[in-house]
Amino acid sequence: LMSQKKFEEIKKANQAAAQKLVEEQFSSSSEEEGDEDLEGKQGKIVANTFITYTTQTDGDTRELERTKQYVNEAFQAGAMTCLICIASVKRNQAVWSCLGCFCIFHMPCIQKWAKDSQFLVSSLTDEDFGKRDYPWPCPKCRFEYKKSETPSRYYCYCGKVEDPPLDPWLVPHSCGQVCEREFKPPCGHKCLLLCHPGPCPPCPKMVTTTCYCKKAKPIPRRCSAKEWSCQQPCGRKLLCGQHKCENPCHAGSCQPCPRVSRQKCVCGKKIAERSCASPLWHCDQVCGQTLSCGNHTCEQVCHVGACGDCPRSGKRACPCQKSKFSLPCTEDVPTCGDSCDKVLECGIHRCSQRCHRGPCETCRQEVEKHCRCGKHTKRMPCHKPYLCETKCVKMRDCQKHQCRRKCCPGNCPPCDQNCGRTLGCRNHKCPSICHRGSCYPCPETVDVKCSCGSAKVTVPCGRERTTRPPKCKELCSQPSTCHHASREKHRCHFGPCPPCRQPCQRVLEKCGHLCPASCHDQALIKQAGRPQPTGPWEQLSEPAFIQAALPCPPCQVPIPVECLGKHEVSPLPCHSVGPYSCKRVCGRVLDCQNHTCMKECHKVTEVDGCTDKNKAGPECLECEEGCSRSRPLGCPHPCVLPCHPGECPPCVQMLRIKCHCKITSLYVECRKMTTAGVDEKNLLSCCKNQCPKELPCGHRCKEICHPGECPLNCTQKVKLRCPCKRIKKELQCNKVRENQISVECDTTCKELKRKASEVKEAEAKAALEEESRRRQAELEAFENRLKGRRKKNRKRDEVAVEPSLWQKYKYHLLAACGVVVVVLAWYIAQDAN
């Protein structure tokens, strides 16, 4: 669980980082796509411009590359660079283009360059400073221009329009007119492109020409490629005069004959196999022929023609050349005896010896010599040079270093030290000899390449820092840093490759399935164990992320697995495959055959030979409930057995029931009661006693304990009285109930009733009088309280009220009436029995 949680956290962090990276790449890729679209459109325009140069016979695209490059650079912002200031040439700046290399410079830069170059040359070589017209060179190709050719006006590329206006639909610095410059080498035609930078392309005109050997028929060809070969043998006679040229039709003179033949040397003494192209050759032997004098032999090495006269014949001069003698060639010329008088090596004195053979001796006269710098003199032999030890302190032509040559005559040599100043490119140092003024621009060029090196653009040295690498359409070739054999296909780029999003596809050790998650060999995780700030003044550093390989996540391949209780088959993740509970109730039928196992889904051991898969196993619960089968109708007792299969045994418990009269409790076996019919139940519920129920007349039922209502034929004797209760008679109860017999009052009864009514009226009247007196007394007492009498005199104000007879004797009368009622009730009861 911890590893799964950690994996999920890292996965979310990676997804957030990947989303951010994708958004950045999407925005940058959209910009790149826009740039690519623009470059594609420009490329199509340039291609359509030069398509007429390549669609017909023998169009050579290699000759157009230079022109195409200049045109492409003119379209691209920041592509053209001034080599003097190492800055971009903008569309609205005045420029000048060299006629030799067609390199473009800022107008102020080239003017300053020309002025400085002329100043330096004239200051070093011209005695009349500034009067002679010295040329100045192009900073790149060293093409020399006269002083009068120093640019002072801003012209378009073809030189027709001065200060060409800026037009976004034209090439920058172009006038938009036809170029009409003559082609180089001249062919009589003119350039037909619109005013453009760089050299004019090869002449596209069509002319009819024949081949070099003039054997083929004339055919139409490009003027720039009008010289062509028919590839047939040349056939012209070679210089050897014997063989013909066997090379294919070619331009210019034929090559020397390549064949070999045996040839004699000039003197004819040796024969050797030599190239047919060089028939004249000299051997290394001396001629040795006797000269005309007959005394000497020719000492020349193998030569042509006669040997000539003997070199010792005729008049010969003595060694000093003052006297001449005519002698035979066999005799040497003697010395004349006069002084030699030849000028010695010093060039001042002459030789004082007599005429002699061989070189003159060294001049030994002592003279006073000046040193070469003219600062010191010394007497010394004439043949010895005199150089003092004084070092020259003049500045050399670089105006930076002293001459420091000993005894310098004043013509100090140019500075022989290297300049060593850092050029404008900031990458190289000036390789020239130490000089005055600005150094020449760096002649080096740098290839700005893409990451894989397939695409490149050549820029002047120093511009590689600000030049964007070219867009490369090749696929990235960096090797994979994860376990995959190759990366996802994406274009060449700088920096690290994007994270691998291929499926991991590693074989998991536990299950053998392939990991379907994205590659996680280089996942970004937050670095742990970073130092905490020591105080509140230190700011918390941003969290650092490191790349680390994460373990494969748990396998999520769904595997169908049956639960422990075999209720269902569910697909579970492979990493969690195993016995599991489906959380349902087991539901297997217990041994009681009435209930099912209520445990949560669990393992059940199958009993051998049992085919019922719904039968409970030993692991299931044992039924601990009582028997829940329905009891027979009327049996209130539960089954005495625990939950069991089959029918319950008959109930043998004693059932306590009330008899029909509800007074006596009877004990009867439950099975007898539940199995008996209606008559038997009535018999079992009878207590054999008289029914205690009262009839509506108030007498007890005379029947034995019975169910239902009691019969209404009461034969009990009852006493019947007159309305005043004075006269009584005994009669049957049922007849009295049926109002068949009644007792009326006589005159005596009426008299007693009249007297009793009189007594009641007297009592009522006395009660009214007593009530009026009481109210009068209360009224007087209230009036006395209103008059403010004192409390001690209140008793005087009270009126003595005499109680009435009823108030005096009411308790005695009530007691007497109660006794009379009791006696009357007892008497009535006795009459009824």
Side-chain angles (χ1 to χ4, degrees):
L1 292 177
M2 291 298 293
S3 63
Q4 178 70 16
K5 184 177 180 181
K6 183 177 180 181
F7 179 82
E8 292 297 334
E9 291 178 355
I10 296 174
K11 183 179 179 181
K12 290 181 180 179
N14 288 344
Q15 288 178 349
Q19 183 67 22
K20 183 177 180 181
L21 181 62
V22 165
E23 291 176 357
E24 293 177 356
Q25 288 184 348
F26 177 77
S27 60
S28 62
S29 64
S30 62
E31 294 177 0
E32 292 179 357
E33 289 176 358
D35 295 342
E36 290 180 0
D37 293 342
L38 182 59
E39 292 178 2
K41 292 179 180 178
Q42 293 177 355
K44 289 181 180 179
I45 294 173
V46 175
N48 292 332
T49 302
F50 293 101
I51 194 170
T52 56
Y53 288 81
T54 58
T55 52
Q56 297 187 22
T57 308
D58 292 327
D60 190 359
T61 58
R62 292 177 298 176
E63 298 294 333
L64 301 176
E65 292 300 324
R66 193 176 176 192
T67 306
K68 284 184 179 180
Q69 180 181 358
Y70 277 97
V71 174
N72 283 328
E73 289 180 354
F75 276 119
Q76 296 175 2
M80 291 192 297
T81 305
C82 176
L83 296 181
I84 299 176
C85 62
I86 314 297
S88 298
V89 177
K90 298 182 179 179
R91 293 171 175 262
N92 56 353
Q93 293 177 333
V95 296
W96 175 83
S97 177
C98 176
L99 298 177
C101 62
F102 301 97
C103 187
I104 296 176
F105 304 91
H106 291 123
M107 182 65 71
C109 295
I110 196 64
Q111 290 175 343
K112 185 176 183 299
W113 176 270
K115 183 178 179 180
D116 292 347
S117 299
Q118 292 173 354
F119 175 82
L120 292 176
V121 174
S122 62
S123 64
L124 294 176
T125 59
D126 192 5
E127 294 180 357
D128 297 332
F129 177 74
K131 294 182 179 181
R132 294 183 58 184
D133 186 6
Y134 286 98
W136 55 274
C138 169
K140 183 178 181 181
C141 65
R142 305 296 192 268
F143 184 83
E144 291 188 350
Y145 294 89
K146 296 180 181 179
K147 184 178 181 181
S148 59
E149 295 176 342
T150 301
S152 58
R153 300 283 184 178
Y154 168 39
Y155 287 95
C156 62
Y157 296 115
C158 64
K160 294 179 181 178
V161 179
E162 181 181 350
D163 294 328
L166 178 62
D167 190 343
W169 299 102
L170 296 177
V171 178
H173 317 292
S174 169
C175 63
Q177 302 180 23
V178 179
C179 178
E180 293 186 347
R181 286 185 288 181
E182 291 187 357
F183 290 109
K184 294 182 181 180
C187 63
H189 303 125
K190 294 183 180 181
C191 180
L192 300 178
L193 290 178
L194 298 183
C195 182
H196 62 88
C200 294
C203 181
K205 291 285 187 179
M206 301 298 293
V207 295
T208 303
T209 58
T210 185
C211 64
Y212 295 113
C213 65
K214 312 297 182 182
K215 293 180 181 180
K217 292 182 179 180
I219 59 174
R221 291 179 60 87
R222 294 276 185 184
C223 182
S224 58
K226 60 186 177 182
E227 296 182 352
W228 60 285
S229 172
C230 64
Q231 300 301 318
Q232 297 180 8
C234 177
R236 286 185 286 184
K237 186 170 287 187
L238 300 177
L239 295 177
C240 65
Q242 299 179 3
H243 307 106
K244 293 183 178 181
C245 179
E246 298 178 354
N247 292 328
C249 177
H250 60 85
S253 301
C254 297
Q255 295 181 356
C257 183
R259 297 188 179 185
V260 177
S261 61
R262 292 180 64 83
Q263 300 174 3
K264 289 183 179 181
C265 65
V266 174
C267 64
K269 292 182 179 180
K270 286 188 176 182
I271 299 176
E273 289 187 355
R274 294 180 55 83
S275 173
C276 189
S278 56
L280 297 177
W281 65 285
H282 299 269
C283 66
D284 54 355
Q285 292 186 5
V286 178
C287 178
Q289 293 183 4
T290 303
L291 299 177
S292 60
C293 66
N295 298 321
H296 302 95
T297 57
C298 181
E299 297 179 355
Q300 298 182 23
V301 179
C302 182
H303 62 86
V304 180
C307 295
D309 296 332
C310 179
R312 295 172 62 89
S313 62
K315 288 186 177 182
R316 290 180 287 172
C318 64
C320 67
Q321 303 294 325
K322 291 183 179 180
S323 301
K324 293 185 178 181
F325 301 91
S326 296
L327 296 174
C329 64
T330 56
E331 295 182 7
D332 293 332
V333 177
T335 58
C336 64
D338 197 357
S339 60
C340 178
D341 206 27
K342 289 182 181 178
V343 180
L344 298 178
E345 292 181 357
C346 66
I348 301 175
H349 305 101
R350 294 181 178 272
C351 180
S352 60
Q353 295 181 354
R354 290 185 179 275
C355 180
H356 58 87
R357 293 182 175 88
C360 298
E361 64 179 3
T362 306
C363 182
R364 299 183 181 278
Q365 294 188 28
E366 285 193 0
V367 293
E368 186 173 344
K369 281 194 171 184
H370 289 271
C371 65
R372 190 167 56 184
C373 65
K375 294 183 180 180
H376 303 278
T377 58
K378 185 178 180 181
R379 292 192 63 81
M380 57 186 307
C382 182
H383 70 277
K384 291 185 178 180
Y386 175 41
L387 299 176
C388 66
E389 297 296 324
T390 304
K391 293 183 178 181
C392 181
V393 296
K394 289 184 179 180
M395 300 298 290
R396 295 193 179 187
D397 57 352
C398 65
Q399 299 299 317
K400 294 179 182 178
H401 305 105
Q402 290 182 344
C403 177
R404 306 304 292 171
R405 189 173 60 160
K406 290 183 179 180
C407 196
C408 178
N411 56 341
C412 300
C415 185
D416 56 354
Q417 298 186 33
N418 288 331
C419 177
R421 285 186 292 181
T422 303
L423 298 177
C425 64
R426 304 296 179 185
N427 295 328
H428 303 98
K429 293 186 177 180
C430 181
S432 304
I433 300 299
C434 188
H435 58 87
R436 295 175 65 184
S438 302
C439 298
Y440 279 93
C442 181
E444 302 292 333
T445 58
V446 180
D447 291 338
V448 179
K449 300 180 179 180
C450 63
S451 179
C452 67
S454 300
K456 66 178 181 179
V457 59
T458 303
V459 297
C461 182
R463 289 289 294 177
E464 68 274 7
R465 301 184 188 89
T466 57
T467 302
R468 290 181 61 183
K471 303 294 186 303
C472 180
K473 297 182 179 179
E474 300 294 330
L475 296 178
C476 178
S477 59
Q478 294 187 15
S480 177
T481 55
C482 60
H483 67 279
H484 292 105
S486 61
R487 292 184 181 273
E488 292 180 300
K489 292 183 179 181
H490 59 281
R491 287 190 178 182
C492 173
H493 61 90
F494 287 93
C497 291
C500 180
R501 293 190 292 269
Q502 302 180 69
C504 178
Q505 295 297 310
R506 279 181 173 169
V507 179
L508 301 177
E509 296 179 357
K510 295 183 179 180
C511 61
H513 292 120
L514 299 179
C515 178
S518 297
C519 182
H520 44 80
D521 287 353
Q522 293 180 330
L524 290 176
I525 60 175
K526 188 179 291 186
Q527 186 176 7
R530 304 184 67 206
Q532 297 295 328
T534 57
W537 55 88
E538 291 189 5
Q539 295 182 354
L540 292 175
S541 58
E542 295 183 357
F545 291 87
I546 59 175
Q547 288 185 341
L550 298 179
C552 291
C555 183
Q556 301 291 334
V557 176
I559 304 296
V561 180
E562 192 174 27
C563 66
L564 293 171
K566 299 183 179 180
H567 301 111
E568 65 178 18
V569 176
S570 298
L572 296 181
C574 182
H575 72 277
S576 61
V577 166
Y580 80 99
S581 172
C582 64
K583 306 301 181 182
R584 297 182 183 177
V585 177
C586 176
R588 289 179 177 256
V589 180
L590 300 179
D591 294 335
C592 66
Q593 301 297 322
N594 298 320
H595 300 96
T596 56
C597 179
M598 301 303 294
K599 286 177 66 175
E600 189 179 280
C601 179
H602 60 89
K603 183 179 180 181
V604 179
T605 304
E606 299 289 347
V607 180
D608 295 338
C610 181
T611 59
D612 188 5
K613 295 185 178 180
N614 201 27
K615 186 176 181 181
E619 293 84 359
C620 292
L621 291 173
E622 293 183 1
C623 185
E624 298 177 353
E625 297 184 8
C627 180
S628 58
R629 289 181 179 274
S630 59
R631 304 300 294 164
L633 187 62
C635 179
H637 307 107
C639 182
V640 296
L641 299 178
C643 189
H644 59 87
E647 297 295 331
C648 297
C651 182
V652 296
Q653 293 192 32
M654 300 303 291
L655 185 63
R656 182 182 178 182
I657 61 175
K658 291 287 187 179
C659 62
H660 297 301
C661 56
K662 309 299 181 182
I663 295 176
T664 304
S665 296
L666 303 176
Y667 292 90
V668 184
E669 284 187 1
C670 182
R671 62 180 178 177
K672 293 181 180 180
M673 195 67 180
T674 55
T675 57
V678 178
D679 296 336
E680 293 179 355
K681 286 183 179 180
N682 292 334
L683 183 60
L684 292 175
S685 300
C686 181
C687 63
K688 311 299 183 183
N689 294 324
Q690 183 183 353
C691 179
K693 296 180 182 179
E694 287 187 357
L695 296 174
C697 61
H699 301 113
R700 183 176 180 181
C701 180
K702 299 295 184 180
E703 300 291 335
I704 301 300
C705 182
H706 62 86
E709 296 292 335
C710 295
L712 299 179
N713 54 350
C714 181
T715 59
Q716 182 72 27
K717 296 290 186 178
V718 295
K719 292 181 179 180
L720 186 63
R721 293 180 181 271
C722 65
C724 65
K725 306 300 182 184
R726 188 180 70 81
I727 301 171
K728 65 179 179 179
K729 293 181 179 180
E730 290 185 0
L731 300 170
Q732 284 186 356
C733 182
N734 57 352
K735 293 182 178 181
V736 175
R737 293 283 296 174
E738 293 176 358
N739 296 323
Q740 297 178 0
I741 301 174
S742 62
V743 179
E744 300 294 335
C745 291
D746 55 4
T747 55
T748 306
C749 293
K750 293 180 180 179
E751 184 65 25
L752 292 175
K753 188 175 181 181
R754 184 183 62 76
K755 290 181 179 180
S757 61
E758 291 179 355
V759 171
K760 286 182 179 181
E761 290 177 359
E763 291 177 356
K765 185 177 180 180
L768 289 175
E769 291 178 357
E770 183 182 358
E771 182 67 22
S772 62
R773 286 195 299 271
R774 185 181 63 80
R775 289 181 178 179
Q776 184 65 31
E778 289 178 357
L779 180 61
E780 293 177 358
F782 178 73
E783 291 177 355
N784 292 333
R785 283 195 300 273
L786 290 177
K787 292 179 180 180
R789 294 185 178 181
R790 295 182 180 179
K791 189 176 181 179
K792 61 182 180 179
N793 297 324
R794 286 181 182 176
K795 292 182 179 181
R796 302 176 185 175
D797 299 333
E798 293 180 358
V799 177
V801 179
E802 184 178 355
S804 62
L805 294 175
W806 168 254
Q807 289 178 347
K808 289 181 179 181
Y809 304 107
K810 62 182 177 179
Y811 296 106
H812 300 286
L813 292 173
L814 290 174
C817 291
V819 172
V820 172
V821 171
V822 171
V823 173
L824 182 60
W826 179 81
Y827 179 73
I828 293 172
Q830 289 296 324
D831 290 342
N833 292 330

